Amino acid sequence: EAQVTQNPRYLITVTGKKLTVTCSQNMNHEYMSWYRQDPGLGLRQIYYSMNVEVTDKGDVPEGYKVSRKEKRNFPLILESPSPNQTSLYFCASRRDRNQPQHFGDGTRLSIL
Amino acid sequence: QKEVEQDPGPLSVPEGAIVSLNCTYSNSAFQYFMWYRQYSRKGPELLMYTYSSGNKEDGRFTAQVDKSSKYISLFIRDSQPSDSATYLCAMGGTGFQKLVFGTGTRLLVSP
């Protein structure tokens, strides 16, 4: 089954404790992205990647890092999480630049 | 002004009704238009994908794009309780590096 898989689905942690949210897709897609979803603000792109070792900032990249060492994986790293990063996070992938995104089921992060 | 405007709802309709969901946008460079459905605790699921202006139909769903008015619509015929979800519009320009999303309209279909 074609899918985008995120882990963990839920995480409660404390300020300053580094965390990584993993994302993996099995569709051999070139493009991958991370979004956060907040009430009243909708989905906002954090980072995106056009291929292995090629990443760029989205609209809200501050406080986040990403890497793309393999085509299928695109982890999101919070080096020093803060409470304003409490949100619902989605990873997405797409085959090429003019195709729509396919989303994972989300990771709900709570940072105390 | 936001690039994409979408009424948050909720929109409540009885089962069997025709539902109309809409978004307006300001960026004339947008060429690709999408509608996603999002159930609670799930990721957005692609419903419709259209390029430029015109209509596209898929079962009970019809997507319309009016680029001259910068207005897109999603119509749902014979709505079902299982259609109760949040509907997100999204759009991008040619070779878009990112999508711009509406904030979503919550739809409730009562039996």
Side-chain angles (χ1 to χ4, degrees):
Chain A
E1 180 189 352
Q3 57 186 5
V4 178
T5 303
Q6 297 178 227
N7 280 296
R9 293 291 313 280
Y10 303 91
L11 179 63
I12 300 173
T13 188
V14 295
T15 299
K17 185 176 181 181
K18 180 179 177 180
L19 68 91
T20 299
V21 184
T22 64
C23 174
S24 180
Q25 51 93 4
N26 63 359
M27 295 168 280
N28 201 36
H29 283 173
E30 299 281 335
Y31 287 72
M32 298 185 75
S33 298
W34 275 103
Y35 292 84
R36 60 178 289 174
Q37 187 176 38
D38 301 289
L41 297 176
L43 280 158
R44 294 178 293 166
Q45 190 179 57
I46 303 170
Y47 268 95
Y48 62 92
S49 170
M50 292 163 282
N51 212 327
V52 175
E53 303 289 4
V54 182
T55 63
D56 206 348
K57 296 177 181 177
D59 295 319
V60 288
E62 294 78 21
Y64 304 95
K65 284 176 58 177
V66 293
S67 69
R68 188 95 180 271
K69 292 183 168 47
E70 304 166 280
K71 196 172 186 179
R72 63 183 290 129
N73 295 324
F74 190 44
L76 179 70
I77 303 157
L78 284 71
E79 293 269 3
S80 183
S82 62
N84 65 10
Q85 293 177 298
T86 292
S87 188
L88 180 57
Y89 291 85
F90 290 101
C91 181
S93 72
R94 55 189 165 119
R95 190 177 72 219
D96 59 48
R97 60 195 301 173
N98 290 327
Q99 295 299 311
Q101 312 240 14
H102 297 268
F103 286 85
D105 279 338
T107 295
R108 185 168 291 282
L109 284 183
S110 294
I111 299 163
L112 308 177
Chain B
Q1 184 190 4
K2 289 182 180 178
E3 258 188 307
V4 178
E5 299 274 4
Q6 186 176 9
D7 189 322
L11 176 62
S12 295
V13 301
E15 184 175 354
I18 297 174
V19 174
S20 172
L21 303 166
N22 311 294
C23 287
T24 59
Y25 63 94
S26 57
N27 190 340
S28 57
F30 289 149
Q31 298 275 5
Y32 296 86
F33 303 92
M34 285 138 274
W35 285 96
Y36 286 86
R37 178 175 62 194
Q38 186 176 16
Y39 291 115
S40 180
R41 297 189 182 88
K42 300 288 281 184
E45 169 196 10
L46 180 68
L47 274 179
M48 302 290 280
Y49 175 51
T50 55
Y51 171 72
S52 197
S53 285
N55 294 0
K56 184 174 183 179
E57 188 173 322
D58 184 0
R60 295 184 296 112
F61 300 91
T62 300
Q64 282 187 354
V65 175
D66 182 349
K67 291 188 68 181
S68 61
S69 302
K70 297 190 179 67
Y71 189 88
I72 69 171
S73 301
L74 177 71
F75 296 96
I76 307 174
R77 290 184 299 280
D78 187 25
S79 56
Q80 303 294 309
S82 59
D83 295 327
S84 297
T86 296
Y87 289 80
L88 306 167
C89 64
M91 46 199 81
T94 301
F96 51 92
Q97 301 295 5
K98 69 168 188 176
L99 292 176
V100 180
F101 283 83
T103 51
T105 298
R106 188 169 169 224
L107 172 66
L108 301 171
V109 182
S110 53

